[in-house]
Amino acid sequence: MKLQIKKITGVLLACAGLMAITSCSEFEEINKNPYYSDTEMEQLDGVLNGAYVPNLEKHVIPVPLKTDNTDEVNAYQVSINLCGDSWVGYFSPRDNKWEEGANPTTFFFHVNRTNHMFDYATAKIFAPWIQLKKINLNGDNPNRELYAIVQIAKIMGLHRSADKYGPIPYSKAGSGSFTVEYDSQEAVYHSFFEELDEAVQILYDFYMRGGAVVPLASDMVYEGNVAKWIRFANSLMLRLAIRVRYADEELARKYAEMAVTNPLGVMESVDDMAKMHKGANFEIRNPMFQIANPGQYNDSRMGATIQSYLKGYNDPRIATYFQDNGASAVRAGMPVTANTYDAASLPNIQEEDPVYWMRASEVDFLRAEGVLAGFNMGGGSAKYFYESGIQKSFEECKVSLGSYLNSTASPADFKDMKEAAYNHAAPSNITVKWVEEDEMEKKLERIITQKYLALFPDGQEAWSEWRRTGYPRQIPPVLNLTNAGVKTTDGYKDGVRRIPYPEDEYKLNNENLTKAIQQYLGGVDNAAVNVWWDKKVKN
């Protein structure tokens, strides 16, 4: 991995003035200026953490602070909005203008875009984490509780990176070298589980000693609230455990059950949701507002697949998610269309809206699937957790549930607002109402379809779930212009399975990258190779 000096320097410049210390220890006390802080004082009063913790958290999912430029917005657009958002039909470009339509929405991976994606998926997360580890684990005044929070945040960001690429540099990152060995995705996931377990134990011990809040945490997510961080860490453990269940069922069972049986458990209240919004005296700007807003980038509109499900179900969340009640949508993978789809439905996202890391509704859907798999999910049937997940999603969206749980409606056919050639039949006939007599696979489709609707607008996570399960069934993209081996999807299988590594890695870390491709990807680095956990057979 390339933790290049020029990349890390940009992350650390804001803190450079805080880190100077005198070079002659014998004169340290004599020469200390009582009006300026030194490193020991900065650790004690949280100055260094105040710089690095928000910097880590804002790169977990790229999100700009109020005072930032457009770098994080651009990173979000390139690595999420033109990728996962499109591949699962949450959004589609208003006009697919980039590289004359040959971009990730049509399965083409341009060298500049892949370089940018990988940088944000690795270096931008590792750089502040390395500094926080030095400060809070190895410094003069170690703060194990804050480092536990940092570990959870790091894993939240890097599991998304591993899910994009498969093997990533992990165990050797931070060693001081600019050329770092890769770990298999399986090994990385094992580390995630062990580190989450350790972080939870540290925080729980602190909690049992009366520690409700980690002091001087500069934490934008929960402002150091220990109980909330524990529940989120357990919920993240549950997410990762369910993710690997087709690759290693016993590993999945072990950590899924560990997560829900922890004394503080997993997220069960919408008040526990992990999100970037306001905290530690910072505020964020939701990147999708700038990407979609006609007065700014004006680039994104409602996707055809999510419209099919929301419209067919007469789902009241449609008005929460999209303007004009989601009246018009655009299929993924369109050619250049200029102003044809200007009037398609905009996302109903405001600049000040939170960016969610994980919602309480997702946890119930994870537990529902866990019950299907035969795991101990802490009591409750698959039906109970499935319906609870829907109820929580409606609560999160602040809409009335009504009779939705008993709906037998099906997804709607897609009708293009301009061109009949782009029309498409409904991708599925799955209904909302739980039917206990249904076979397991149909129950799974029902769970993941509603999970997909609750996850909106997190296209990265929905894409991982679609790859893992094949659900929800998608309206396929119009074009396949791939330069990365992608087979055109039928909405259930094929499509983009991972993102290829960037040219920069081949130039700067070739030996390690080539070894990883041979060992872990069967010698092929393209977008048609399954990542480690993508083991379910989809016929």
Side-chain angles (χ1 to χ4, degrees), residues 49-287:
N49 287 325
Y52 290 116
V53 173
N55 199 36
L56 170 62
E57 292 178 340
K58 77 172 187 175
H59 287 116
V60 166
I61 297 174
V63 55
L65 304 180
K66 282 280 190 181
T67 54
D68 285 341
N69 58 24
T70 60
D71 285 354
E72 279 73 34
V73 176
N74 297 339
Y76 189 101
Q77 182 173 34
V78 169
S79 62
I80 298 174
N81 188 240
L82 296 180
C83 293
D85 284 356
S86 175
W87 300 333
V88 297
Y90 276 169
F91 296 109
S92 184
R94 174 193 61 84
D95 172 28
N96 207 6
K97 58 193 178 183
W98 303 275
E99 292 87 43
E100 298 182 347
N103 57 62
T105 70
T106 55
F107 310 151
F108 189 98
F109 294 88
H110 191 275
V111 60
N112 289 339
R113 296 190 184 281
T114 55
N115 286 337
H116 195 47
M117 289 180 201
F118 193 78
D119 181 30
Y120 262 83
T122 54
K124 297 293 186 183
I125 296 172
F126 275 122
W129 171 78
I130 289 167
Q131 299 305 317
L132 287 162
K133 181 178 180 180
K134 290 178 181 178
I135 296 164
N136 293 292
L137 199 61
N138 303 324
D140 296 330
N141 299 286
N143 185 335
R144 296 179 73 237
E145 290 75 32
L146 181 55
Y147 184 64
I149 289 174
V150 167
Q151 285 285 76
I152 298 164
K154 177 199 71 173
I155 293 167
M156 174 63 204
L158 289 177
H159 96 75
R160 293 168 66 93
S161 306
D163 291 346
K164 288 177 181 177
Y165 295 99
I168 60 170
Y170 192 75
S171 62
K172 303 294 176 61
S175 64
S177 173
F178 299 150
T179 56
V180 181
E181 291 180 22
Y182 280 66
D183 297 281
S184 70
Q185 190 182 30
E186 180 178 9
V188 171
Y189 259 75
H190 276 269
S191 291
F192 288 159
F193 289 128
E194 293 167 4
E195 291 168 31
L196 282 172
D197 183 24
E198 181 181 24
V200 168
Q201 288 300 320
I202 290 169
L203 290 176
Y204 185 70
D205 289 347
F206 181 68
Y207 177 81
M208 292 302 291
R209 298 196 304 272
V213 176
V214 175
L216 304 172
S218 298
D219 159 34
M220 293 183 63
V221 181
Y222 292 126
E223 296 198 299
N225 185 302
V226 176
K228 288 181 183 289
W229 271 107
I230 292 173
R231 283 192 284 269
F232 168 58
N234 288 326
S235 301
L236 180 57
M237 182 185 291
L238 178 61
R239 173 195 277 183
L240 301 185
I242 296 298
R243 177 134 308 153
V244 306
R245 83 173 181 97
Y246 292 112
D248 189 334
E249 184 176 351
E250 288 311 305
L251 182 71
R253 181 190 305 274
K254 174 183 176 179
Y255 285 102
E257 294 181 353
M258 180 185 295
V260 299
T261 57
N262 178 273
L264 291 186
V266 292
M267 293 190 292
E268 295 187 355
S269 166
V270 297
D271 293 334
D272 287 335
M273 293 188 294
K275 62 186 179 182
M276 290 286 285
H277 189 211
K278 299 177 181 178
N281 297 314
F282 292 99
E283 294 183 46
I284 63 106
R285 305 194 319 270
N286 191 302

Side-chain angles (χ1 to χ4, degrees), residues 359-378:
R359 301 194 199 203
S361 56
E362 180 189 344
V363 176
D364 279 335
F365 292 120
L366 290 166
R367 296 176 83 173
E369 184 177 349
V371 173
L372 281 189
F375 300 168
N376 174 12
M377 291 290 96

